[in-house]
Amino acid sequence: MTELRVRVPASSANLGPGFDSFAIALPLLAEYDVRPARAWAVSIDGDGEGVPTGDDNLFVVGARAAAKAAGATLPPQHVTQRSAIPVGRGLGSSAAAIVGGVVAANALLGEPLDRRSLLRVASEVEGHADNVAAALYGAFTVAVPDDAGPVATRIAFPRAWRICLLIPKEALETETARAVLSPNVSRADAVFNLAHAAALLAAVLRSDGALLSIAMADRLHQPARAKLVPDLDDVVGAARGAGAFGAALSGAGPAIVAFAPARLAARVVAAMEEAAHDRGTSARGRVVRVRAAGAQVRRA
Ligand code: HSE
């Protein structure tokens, strides 16, 4: 008998200049049914694409990390996962699993951890806080590093804007996409991203598409990652040409995300698909809205 049902949204991080800081929650959901069992086990309903089902499953890792942070013992659980989040595309499938485990453990233990502690635990497991912040809080989030662990601030996303996603068939490991990044950044590039990230935030707060079309540029990660996602510039150019305010790599890629006014979103996603197909990349497009809700727990 299911004891808890946890739903966690997909997420798209970075959004151009906000490397490891910005993310939005998306309405592609991972759902986990949790019930007591003799030993931890995970069953995958549908396409699991190589998701581990043992102790190294990220839901289990997240749940155990939360119990440890709470100084509690969590009895073993059986988890059934149904996920609409494609794995290894830069859409936060790992963050969703970790956040799912963290919030499920917290609920089973009687809520010993507050939201900031949940964010800290999930970020420690994931290695960075951007995707987990959006998966936990929903909407548009800024994850801010702090000596006492990350803080996330949640901002409503303009209702009239749509998110156009281009999701390639081939996956790209985040580890590979982080390995190509240089450990050093020039002062000019740091200033460029600082100014663009601040402008992107102002554009979202004011629903200012004209400012967004300037703000959604990056020098910290996309130039290096373009080697791994060779269609990036063409797809971003096609999206902008079809009326998107801007476009960027989704997280570490290879998915690409564009922000567009609602009336142009179908045209933008078609242009992104066409640009990818012209370069021989198999990919499908989707138009979605930002999801306002983050992770949700329901007792069955
Ligand atoms: N901010 C992260 C990155 C997101 O770009 O590597 C991927 O998990």
Side-chain angles (χ1 to χ4, degrees), residues 13-14 18-22 90 92 126 128 130-131 174 177-178 181 221 225 250-253:
N14 301 329
F19 179 68
D20 278 0
S21 311
F22 291 169
E126 172 80 327
H128 39 87
D130 48 1
N131 287 99
T174 301
R178 286 183 87 83
L181 304 181
H221 70 110
R225 287 173 165 171
S250 178

Side-chain angles (χ1 to χ4, degrees), residues 60-292:
V60 178
V61 176
R64 287 184 159 163
K68 191 171 171 210
T73 306
L74 184 66
Q77 306 290 323
H78 184 278
V79 183
T80 305
Q81 173 189 311
R82 284 176 296 277
S83 180
I85 311 175
V87 176
R89 307 304 201 289
L91 293 169
S93 65
S94 325
I98 296 164
V99 166
V102 166
V103 298
N106 198 40
L108 291 168
L109 294 170
E111 314 280 341
L113 302 174
D114 61 13
R115 242 178 13 159
R116 183 166 176 196
S117 306
L118 298 177
L119 177 69
R120 178 176 50 75
V121 174
S123 303
E124 280 167 8
V125 176
E126 172 80 327
H128 39 87
D130 48 1
N131 287 99
V132 295
L136 193 58
Y137 288 69
F140 177 105
T141 47
V142 183
V144 185
D146 182 73
D147 288 347
V151 182
T153 184
R154 177 187 182 281
I155 295 156
F157 194 78
R159 292 171 68 89
W161 292 3
R162 295 293 177 272
I163 306 303
C164 302
L165 296 173
L166 182 81
I167 308 172
K169 199 163 167 235
E170 295 296 322
L172 169 62
E173 291 294 327
T174 301
E175 216 176 294
T176 310
R178 286 183 87 83
V180 299
L181 304 181
S182 160
N184 301 309
V185 172
S186 72
R187 186 186 336 200
D189 288 351
V191 170
F192 181 93
N193 268 60
L194 178 64
H196 282 74
L200 190 148
L201 197 55
V204 168
L205 287 167
R206 294 187 199 140
S207 302
D208 184 341
L211 181 59
L212 183 65
S213 69
I214 294 164
M216 216 165 166
D218 161 72
R219 287 190 190 164
L220 288 191
H221 70 110
Q222 291 187 178
R225 287 173 165 171
K227 289 193 279 287
L228 302 172
V229 187
D231 306 351
L232 179 62
D233 287 345
D234 285 357
V235 173
V236 168
R240 293 181 73 106
F245 301 126
L249 203 56
S250 178
I256 296 172
V257 61
F259 291 1
R263 68 190 168 82
L264 296 177
R267 206 169 91 180
V268 167
V269 92
M272 294 167 81
E273 281 180 334
E274 196 183 325
H277 294 168
D278 283 354
R279 298 202 45 157
T281 301
S282 178
R284 69 189 164 86
R286 258 190 97 157
V287 177
V288 295
R289 292 175 186 223
V290 166
R291 182 174 162 91

